[in-house]
């Protein structure tokens, strides 16, 4: 009986430890170092060709175009994307999965693969039912405009 109880207790705590957190883009700064999942609106995509390795910066903002979060795609990782980020994600709601880092005082997630980012309505169709409606207590009506 003790072994079963210990196994259940270990499984419970390991699921809490290794689970990702759903959050809003504006609250990503509270999760520095954590792996999160978020849905946000891409307001700007810019490839920095004058920089070494030519990284791409994808800006997640709000309806007032205030920058909330930056997604960094290193130049070497662009080959892992089937479409160019400049055309695929601009003015789209995207679902992003990744670890939040702080770079020069701004929150940032580095994307190494197309598996980490997808158009939100497409991602919702591939999300398990149990996760689709998780944490809707914080949702605003405008968060669901992309489903229409």
């Amino acid at each position: 009986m003790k072994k079963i109880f210990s196994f259940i207790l270990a499984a419970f705590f390991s699921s809490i430890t290794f689970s990702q957190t759903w959050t809003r883009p504006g609250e990503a700064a509270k999760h520095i170092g954590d792996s999160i999942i978020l849905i946000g609106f891409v307001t700007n995509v810019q490839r920095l060709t004058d920089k070494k390795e030519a990284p791409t910066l994808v800006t997640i903002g709000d309806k007032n175009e205030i920058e909330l979060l930056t997604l960094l795609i290193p130049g070497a990782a662009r080959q892992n994307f089937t479409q160019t980020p400049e055309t695929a994600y601009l003015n789209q709601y995207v679902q992003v999965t990744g670890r939040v880092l702080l770079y020069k005082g701004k929150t940032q997630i580095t994307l190494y693969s197309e598996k980490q980012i997808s158009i939100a309505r497409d991602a919702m169709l591939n999300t398990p039912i149990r996760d689709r409606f998780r944490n809707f207590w914080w949702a605003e009506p405008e968060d669901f405009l992309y489903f229409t």
Side-chain angles (χ1 to χ4, degrees):
M1 184 67 175
K2 286 183 180 180
K3 288 183 181 181
I4 294 173
F5 179 73
S6 298
F7 177 77
I8 292 172
L9 193 62
F12 174 75
F13 283 114
S14 65
S15 68
I16 291 174
T17 304
F18 296 109
S19 65
Q20 294 177 325
T21 305
W22 281 83
T23 187
R24 292 175 154 215
E27 297 173 357
K30 297 177 186 175
H31 298 279
I32 302 297
D34 295 339
S35 184
I36 65 167
I37 301 172
L38 61 85
I39 294 177
F41 187 74
V42 176
T43 57
N44 188 21
V45 181
Q46 179 181 11
R47 185 168 188 192
L48 304 176
T49 55
D50 58 333
K51 301 283 184 183
K52 184 179 178 183
E53 296 184 21
T56 302
L57 301 177
V58 180
T59 304
I60 303 285
D62 65 3
K63 58 188 169 196
N64 298 324
E65 297 196 14
I66 296 173
E67 181 179 336
L68 301 174
L69 176 72
T70 301
L71 308 175
L72 172 71
I73 303 172
R78 279 181 67 98
Q79 66 187 3
N80 300 331
F81 291 79
T82 55
Q83 298 179 358
T84 60
E86 295 86 352
T87 58
Y89 307 120
L90 184 61
N91 296 323
Q92 297 282 337
Y93 281 94
V94 294
Q95 178 176 320
V96 179
T97 304
R99 184 168 310 279
V100 180
L101 304 172
L102 198 60
Y103 179 75
K104 293 186 179 181
K106 293 187 177 185
T107 52
Q108 171 180 300
I109 296 177
T110 302
L111 304 177
Y112 298 101
S113 168
E114 195 170 41
K115 293 178 184 177
Q116 290 180 267
I117 185 171
S118 59
I119 305 300
R121 71 176 159 270
D122 299 336
M124 186 59 104
L125 297 176
N126 295 324
T127 303
I129 297 289
R130 64 177 161 70
D131 291 339
R132 287 186 190 181
F133 302 104
R134 181 187 289 179
N135 293 337
F136 276 170
W137 56 269
W138 53 257
E140 299 292 334
E142 59 266 12
D143 292 338
F144 300 102
L145 294 177
Y146 58 86
F147 291 114
T148 57

